[in-house]
């Protein structure tokens, strides 16, 4: 009786599991009967500063144009960003978040019969995009929770079309340095596209941290993705982009939805690109919050993975989901990473000083209760 629609879905989609987002504040408020203001959300690596004043006022000014289609070429954003990055405007491809661009890359270059390489504990969007395309995903075991670039280069097969790297990686916060990346790129055949996801690039503090954009000239098969969702404080407006060779960009542009970035998002992104102070404050707040959380976690006796991003993943020593649920009762939303194969870890985004304090207090409370 009835139709089994799952059987109708393409094979890659049949076995997919949907992306698990962080719990929204409103949802927890309803579930626990808490006031929205009493809840601290450190679950989705969002910018704790809120959006910049510059973005908010740009959106207000843009509102009267809402009945018009956006500029499909994103002239203003393209011009501003290409100047900022010192690349040609035609090297940029924009998306509804960089997630959109990651999926677009897989759609354009992967299909059944080919493969794509990514690391254990890497961002879960890569296996989703690979699987949906029908290609085979090759998972390379991580080294110290980070990418084992040597093993990843060796894992490339004849049928491999793409490699996904995240630097810094989410959810582990690990990063590789410029020398390691160059060594890796030297081993990758020129017909294998290397997608270097730099969603947290702006937060990376190490002097050896590579800047993918500066390597594009030397490696035409490199595609760098970045986003306005994290350090630029615009996760809700959805803007991300890739920087690649103009050839790759023109291929992506064939399949890209013509209006995949909306006009409010474009205005907000241009404004915050011109707002150096906001970016600097984002970095400073993150840098201080990282020290605060590291010290707090160490004080409570937790092992954490040193992070180059705006979040820290730590070992709860117990079941991560149980710890997550107990934190929820305290009004604190962290992120379980059991779906990444890390059942005893939790990821916490770095918040404002007060939010980090609340998190550490809640964690101490949960730890005390668990010990009894
Ligand atoms: C947050 C994140 C992104 C960016 O997502 P958007 O779609 O741009 O909001 C991309 N890659 C990684 C590893 C991330 O954590």
């Amino acid at each position: 009786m009835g139709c089994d629609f799952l059987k109708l879905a393409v094979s890659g989609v049949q076995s997919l599991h949907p992306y698990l987002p962080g719990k929204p504040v409103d949802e927890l408020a309803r579930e626990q009967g808490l006031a929205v203001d009493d809840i601290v959300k450190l679950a989705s690596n969002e910018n704790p500063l809120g959006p910049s004043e510059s973005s908010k006022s740009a959106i207000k000014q843009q509102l009267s144009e809402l009945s018009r289609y956006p500029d499909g070429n994103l002239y203003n954003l393209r011009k501003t960003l290409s100047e900022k990055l010192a690349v040609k405007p035609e090297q940029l491809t924009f998306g509804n978040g960089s997630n959109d661009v990651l999926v677009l890359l897989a759609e354009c270059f992967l299909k059944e019969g080919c493969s794509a390489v990514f690391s254990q504990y890497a961002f879960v969007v890569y296996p989703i995009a690979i699987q949906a395309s029908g290609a085979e995903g090759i998972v390379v075991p991580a080294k110290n929770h980070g990418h084992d670039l040597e093993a990843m280069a060796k894992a490339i097969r004849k049928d491999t079309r793409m490699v996904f790297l995240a630097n810094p990686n989410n959810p582990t916060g690990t990063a590789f340095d410029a020398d390691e990346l160059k060594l890796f790129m030297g081993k990758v055949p020129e017909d294998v596209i290397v997608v270097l996801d730099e969603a947290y690039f702006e937060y990376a503090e190490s002097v050896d941290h590579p800047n993918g954009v500066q390597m594009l000239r030397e490696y035409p098969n490199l595609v760098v993705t970045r986003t306005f969702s994290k350090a630029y404080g615009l996760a809700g407006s959805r803007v991300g982009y890739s920087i690649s060779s103009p050839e790759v960009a023109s291929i992506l542009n064939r399949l890209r939805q013509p209006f995949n970035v909306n006009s409010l998002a474009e205005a907000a992104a241009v404004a915050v690109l011109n707002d150096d102070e906001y970016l600097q404050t984002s970095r400073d707040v993150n840098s201080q919050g990282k020290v605060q959380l590291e010290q707090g976690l160490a004080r409570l006796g937790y092992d954490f993975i040193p992070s180059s991003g705006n979040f820290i993943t730590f070992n709860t020593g117990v079941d991560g989901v149980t710890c997550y649920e107990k934190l929820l009762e305290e009004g604190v939303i962290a992120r379980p990473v059991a779906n990444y194969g890390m059942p005893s870890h939790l990821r916490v985004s770095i918040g404002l000083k007060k939010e980090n304090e609340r998190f550490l207090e809640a964690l101490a409370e949960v730890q005390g209760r668990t010990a009894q």
Side-chain angles (χ1 to χ4, degrees):
M1 256 236 332
C3 175
D4 183 358
F5 289 105
L6 189 57
K7 281 212 175 106
L8 300 182
V10 297
S11 62
V13 172
Q14 283 181 4
S15 48
L16 277 184
H17 298 284
Y19 180 82
L20 288 171
K23 185 184 278 292
V25 169
D26 288 344
E27 194 178 297
L28 181 63
R30 281 195 300 272
E31 288 172 358
Q32 301 278 347
L34 294 169
V36 165
D37 290 342
D38 289 337
I39 293 173
V40 171
K41 184 187 176 201
L42 298 172
S44 302
N45 302 343
E46 294 150 338
N47 195 316
L49 295 172
S52 71
E53 290 304 320
S54 52
S55 289
K56 286 195 277 189
S57 91
I59 285 177
K60 274 184 207 142
Q61 279 173 41
Q62 191 61 39
L63 279 176
S64 56
E65 297 297 314
L66 262 187
S67 53
R68 306 251 177 231
Y69 276 98
D71 170 8
N73 278 319
L74 298 147
Y75 175 84
N76 289 326
L77 180 55
R78 191 178 293 276
K79 184 169 188 298
T80 311
L81 188 58
S82 64
E83 284 167 5
K84 200 112 204 154
L85 297 174
V87 299
K88 295 188 195 121
E90 59 270 26
Q91 289 181 267
L92 299 171
T93 304
F94 292 95
N96 189 40
S98 57
N99 200 328
D100 187 27
V101 184
L102 293 167
V103 172
L104 185 59
L105 280 157
E107 284 174 339
C108 285
F109 293 101
L110 296 178
K111 63 169 196 281
E112 253 169 274
C114 61
S115 65
V117 173
F118 62 97
S119 173
Q120 180 188 20
Y121 308 136
F123 191 38
V124 72
V125 164
Y126 316 147
I128 293 177
I130 295 165
Q131 207 173 315
S133 75
E136 183 189 340
I138 301 174
V139 193
V140 177
K143 201 165 106 184
N144 300 325
H145 289 107
H147 289 37
D148 183 347
L149 291 181
E150 206 180 318
M152 289 184 81
K154 285 194 185 126
I156 294 171
R157 305 189 308 218
K158 272 232 147 47
D159 66 3
T160 300
R161 291 283 151 272
M162 196 170 261
V163 179
F164 287 91
L165 304 177
N167 201 41
N169 181 48
N170 172 23
T172 57
T174 52
F176 43 81
D177 67 24
D179 288 343
E180 291 173 278
L181 179 58
K182 279 181 194 152
L183 193 65
F184 172 80
M185 289 305 296
K187 296 178 193 163
V188 178
E190 60 184 13
D191 61 353
V192 173
I193 290 180
V194 176
V195 178
L196 178 62
D197 180 346
E198 294 189 333
Y200 301 97
F201 173 78
E202 294 83 4
Y203 290 116
E205 294 177 297
S206 159
V207 287
D208 301 324
H209 192 84
N211 178 343
V213 176
Q214 288 170 358
M215 295 173 61
L216 288 168
R217 238 181 249 275
E218 197 175 344
Y219 305 103
N221 56 333
L222 183 63
V223 177
V224 179
T225 62
R226 291 192 188 169
T227 182
F228 286 90
S229 298
K230 310 282 159 59
Y232 288 102
L234 289 173
S237 71
R238 315 301 304 125
V239 200
Y241 57 97
S242 67
I243 317 106
S244 67
S245 71
E247 292 82 351
V248 167
S250 80
I251 293 164
L252 298 176
N253 198 42
R254 295 177 186 202
L255 193 57
R256 183 184 68 86
Q257 287 184 43
F259 304 111
N260 62 341
V261 177
N262 71 75
S263 50
L264 302 185
E266 185 191 15
V270 170
V272 73
L273 269 182
N274 289 319
D275 187 349
D276 293 337
E277 204 182 320
Y278 180 84
L279 183 63
Q280 193 51 52
T281 309
S282 299
R283 285 185 177 133
D284 292 345
V285 166
N286 192 65
S287 189
Q288 292 154 12
K290 184 152 70 180
V291 174
Q292 184 190 358
L293 283 179
E294 284 174 350
Q295 290 177 347
L297 286 168
R299 208 180 318 118
L300 292 170
Y302 291 105
D303 275 341
F304 57 86
I305 307 169
S307 173
S308 298
N310 65 344
F311 54 90
I312 298 180
T313 296
F314 66 101
N315 194 339
T316 64
V318 291
D319 177 59
V321 174
T322 307
C323 182
Y324 161 76
E325 284 167 354
K326 289 189 172 156
L327 286 169
L328 288 181
E329 290 167 18
E330 303 293 318
V332 172
I333 314 176
R335 188 71 163 266
V337 284
N339 58 327
Y340 283 92
M342 304 173 80
S344 62
H345 283 75
L346 274 189
R347 190 191 74 191
V348 59
S349 304
I350 299 169
L352 301 174
K353 188 163 183 242
K354 259 203 165 126
E355 297 174 317
N356 300 333
E357 268 166 19
R358 268 286 307 276
F359 162 75
L360 290 168
E361 282 163 18
L363 188 61
E365 175 69 30
V366 166
Q367 190 184 46
R369 272 195 284 144
T370 314
Q372 277 164 21

